Amino acid sequence: QNGGGSCMNFEIILHAGLATGTILLFAAIGEILAERSGVMNLGVEGMMLVGAMTGFSVSLSTRDPWLGLLAAMLAAGVLSLAHGVVTISFQADQVVSGLALTFLGTGLALVLGNGLTGQNAALIPNYDVGVLAAIPFVGPVFFKDHSPLVYLGYLFAPLTWYYIEKTRPGMHLRAVGEKPEAADTMGVSVYGLRYLYVFIGGCLAGLAGATIS
């Protein structure tokens, strides 16, 4: 009985770890894309908090959690463009700009989110993945009672690797980050792609924040 209880506790810990790890997964992938384009963004935490606040607020007012998710991604994406302007167009220090973005995002989330504490917003329901949820140990941990965002995370990480390493747009992304002069010679818009991936990174940070809330 003790062995069975320990195994069940281990399953619960792993199950909870996957749910919370998804938050970091989306944020990390967003930062990877931005950094591979040549822009380091240390403002991920600030963008996540803005995403969490925006997603919860929109979900609360509309009773539509998916709309809240989209709003969170857009809000954090727009905030990330401030970092893009400072570091890409004005060529300012990326570390300083990123830290400033963290402070800005944290402040905005605290001020604009004032009064949301204790409210009950519409939440994205959890689902089981068919017969996969019935597989001993693996099913309860990986495929039972998770948010769709967790299942998305399973696919998102390998697809991101494939995109970066095996596709032509991924090659352009690596070229812009590693050899911007060569990319420019090839006709690839260095500034344009850097802005794009900073925005995508911000959107993914917002998705991570919405996953929190």
Side-chain angles (χ1 to χ4, degrees), residues 94-116:
Q94 296 181 1
V95 174
V96 174
S97 176
L99 292 176
L101 191 65
T102 292
F103 296 137
L104 175 62
T106 302
L108 286 174
L110 287 173
V111 173
L112 299 179
N114 186 35
L116 295 178

Side-chain angles (χ1 to χ4, degrees), residues 79-172:
L79 184 61
S80 73
L81 291 179
H83 178 69
V85 170
V86 172
T87 58
I88 298 172
S89 295
F90 296 151
Q91 297 292 305
D93 187 276
Q94 296 181 1
V95 174
V96 174
S97 176
L99 292 176
L101 191 65
T102 292
F103 296 137
L104 175 62
T106 302
L108 286 174
L110 287 173
V111 173
L112 299 179
N114 186 35
L116 295 178
T117 304
Q119 302 290 329
N120 294 317
L123 302 178
I124 297 173
N126 291 349
Y127 296 96
D128 299 344
V129 183
V131 296
L132 295 178
I135 300 174
F137 185 77
V138 174
V141 171
F142 291 94
F143 302 110
K144 187 176 180 64
D145 195 34
H146 277 303
S147 165
L149 298 177
V150 174
Y151 303 130
L152 175 63
Y154 296 162
L155 300 175
F156 206 58
L159 287 177
T160 301
W161 171 85
Y162 183 84
Y163 173 81
I164 294 174
E165 299 294 336
K166 302 296 183 180
T167 68
R168 187 173 185 83
M171 180 187 69
H172 290 168

